[in-house]
Amino acid sequence: MFLSVFDMFKVGIGPSSSHTMGPMVAAARFLDQMRASPFHFAGLRASLHGSLAFTGVGHATDRATILGLAGFTPGDYDADRAEAVLAQINETHKITVDGLPPLRFDPKSDMIFDYDHKLEGHANGMMLMATDGQGDVNLSETFYSIGGGFVMTEAELAAGKDTDEGAPVPFPFKSAAEMLDMAKSSGKSIAQMKRDNEVSRNGEVHLRSGTKRLWQVMNDCINRGLSSEGILPGGLSVKRRAKGIHDALMAERGLNQSAPHTINDWMSVYAMAVNEENAAGGQVVTAPTNGAAGVMPATLRYYLDHVPGAAESHVEDFLLTAAAIGGLVKFNASISGAEAGCQAEVGSAAAMSAAGLCAVMGGTPEQIENAAEIALEHHLGMTCDPVKGLVQVPCIERNGLGAIKAVSAASLALRGDGTHLVPLDACIETMRQTGADMSEKYKETSLGGLAVNVPNC
Ligand code: SF4
């Protein structure tokens, strides 16, 4: 099993990796199928099912799908050009994209929110269809957005297709137990093993420059969030708070009047800055999803700005360790809120961040595994119930609390010797089972929890 650090952490756009980025990626794949097809096409149609339908408007799934069909991808998204292209499609009812004839598409009738038919494979299902001159479908594909921007076709999902088709890697651990065994027998850290895997596939230069860029995008996102004010889009009238809190924290700095727990506000404000940017449709790094994109940058920024002896040269080890843990969670359970609730998103992000922080603070592989387990264990059972289907409430604050738990988990693990009762593998399996048992109401459908109990929503 190999899941690259660049699959786990992707530069993309808000507000959701599964509901915004995934559908855009699916549309790009469908365009490729159309280009390779011998048929002549004259139109397009799309239908959203399950959670993609229920919370699609709040997550801008329709917009992302249309832009994907118009040739946009999350990695090189240009917000200004997107607005112009959408306006043109709404006016002309035509999509023009490289390598295909002009395609008829009326967003009002060809973009269908199907609330009644959930597709069998996954909670986040969508169908993309290409039609001929008479409007009959002559090519269609079912896609599932399985979390973190990952997309599978119906056939790939049925075949249980792993995303990895490359050559074997030096340390192919599929469980935490295997990871610890390999670390012991090789004498390498988790980051070193993950680095060897990455280099064997993509080379040293790619790894160095890629991880540097990931941290740059994460940190830029924090800084943009800390300097932006106003109301977030979507109709909930949620005010951006990160700038005000950060300004107050900066003013208090050095006055020696702050309570010790103020450090929690620093962690929260970094995460909130990222999630406010995400909610505004800005550029973020999925870590492992957009909804949970604030936990890891907040933990890293906390480390760099507040931990004595911290060094930017350790960021790569942080990211590699976090990616190793994220790969285990994704492979053995889920990182999708629609599949397993928020335990799979913010819980996974906290586990990954705790592991990364523990690693750069000198933790052994056993302590790192313990840190990840502590962080995940105390998110078990956490539901996904975003108010109005927007990735704002509870998501923005929740990322701050996820970062605080991640730091506490790393700290507790570092105070032990790595021995503990609940193995990370057992915790991941518990998360999977809990997610499977969880009512659909609490899996990104906005049909239960806060989403139905907040007045006037
Ligand atoms: S509640 Fe959690 S899983 Fe659901 S959208 Fe918000 S961050 Fe994602």
Side-chain angles (χ1 to χ4, degrees), residues 59 275 289-292 336-338 341-346 382-386 390-396 398-399 444:
H59 288 87
N275 285 81
T289 65
N290 281 25
S336 162
C342 199
Q343 56 172 356
E345 292 206 12
V346 171
M382 194 159 74
T383 59
C384 169
D385 53 358
L390 299 165
V391 194
Q392 297 179 10
V393 180
C395 322
I396 295 170
R398 184 166 287 175
N399 274 256
E444 215 162 349

Side-chain angles (χ1 to χ4, degrees), residues 23-367:
M24 195 178 268
V25 170
R29 287 187 64 181
F30 189 62
L31 290 179
D32 285 342
Q33 288 186 11
M34 289 173 70
R35 290 183 186 110
S37 163
F39 297 121
H40 179 79
F41 301 110
L44 287 165
R45 209 174 292 153
S47 61
L48 305 175
H49 302 259
S51 174
L52 289 188
F54 284 114
T55 59
V57 173
H59 288 87
T61 308
D62 47 346
R63 199 174 177 279
T65 305
I66 297 168
L67 286 170
L69 292 172
F72 283 76
T73 57
D76 56 9
Y77 182 76
D78 175 339
D80 292 338
R81 202 170 75 78
E83 288 311 319
V85 167
L86 276 176
Q88 198 180 31
I89 294 169
N90 279 319
E91 195 186 315
T92 62
H93 299 169
K94 275 215 161 34
I95 286 179
T96 311
V97 65
D98 286 349
L100 291 166
L103 300 160
R104 203 176 47 245
F105 186 87
D106 179 353
K108 283 203 177 69
S109 55
D110 293 320
M111 183 77 242
I112 301 152
F113 285 80
D114 188 337
Y115 302 102
D116 300 323
H117 302 105
K118 183 185 162 194
L119 302 181
E120 288 302 312
H122 188 278
N124 292 332
M126 62 190 293
M127 288 179 70
L128 297 175
M129 293 152 272
T131 55
D132 61 17
Q134 277 70 51
D136 295 326
V137 175
N138 54 9
L139 181 73
S140 84
E141 183 64 87
T142 300
F143 290 97
Y144 294 104
S145 180
I146 60 169
F150 293 92
V151 164
M152 281 183 160
T153 63
E154 180 95 72
E156 287 166 352
L157 198 76
K161 184 172 176 279
D162 195 345
T163 46
D164 181 24
E165 288 177 331
V169 293
F171 299 99
F173 47 84
K174 292 193 186 73
S175 66
E178 285 181 12
M179 179 181 78
L180 291 179
D181 281 349
M182 288 182 195
K184 201 171 192 174
S185 55
S186 67
K188 295 193 174 204
S189 69
I190 294 169
Q192 283 168 337
M193 294 193 294
K194 185 79 181 120
R195 182 176 289 109
D196 287 356
N197 288 349
E198 296 284 340
V199 170
S200 76
R201 286 287 178 90
N202 301 313
E204 184 101 30
V205 176
H206 179 71
L207 178 66
R208 283 275 129 80
S209 61
T211 49
K212 229 174 167 170
R213 174 160 190 255
L214 285 175
W215 170 235
Q216 183 74 52
V217 175
M218 286 183 187
N219 202 30
D220 286 351
C221 186
I222 293 177
N223 291 334
R224 274 199 316 279
L226 293 180
S227 57
S228 303
E229 292 173 293
I231 303 292
L232 293 170
L236 262 189
S237 299
V238 171
K239 198 175 157 220
R240 282 180 177 251
R241 287 180 291 160
K243 180 177 185 308
I245 296 171
H246 186 249
D247 288 350
L249 286 168
M250 290 299 281
E252 289 166 17
R253 218 176 197 182
L255 295 180
N256 279 336
Q257 292 169 345
S258 301
H261 61 253
T262 303
I263 194 64
N264 291 334
D265 298 346
W266 282 99
M267 293 177 224
S268 285
V269 83
Y270 297 142
M272 288 169 72
V274 171
N275 285 81
E276 287 177 359
E277 278 298 288
N278 180 60
Q283 189 180 54
V284 298
V285 174
T286 61
T289 65
N290 281 25
V295 178
M296 191 172 303
T299 310
L300 252 170
R301 181 77 173 254
Y302 161 76
Y303 163 70
L304 289 170
D305 284 9
H306 301 269
V307 175
E312 201 146 324
S313 56
H314 292 155
V315 167
E316 188 176 294
D317 274 9
F318 184 114
L319 293 174
L320 287 168
T321 308
I325 300 300
L328 296 179
V329 177
K330 183 175 185 304
F331 187 73
N332 294 299
S334 172
I335 55 166
S336 162
E339 199 175 7
C342 199
Q343 56 172 356
E345 292 206 12
V346 171
S348 300
M352 294 158 71
S353 303
L357 182 61
C358 188
V360 295
M361 292 185 70
T364 63
E366 287 76 14
Q367 286 171 318

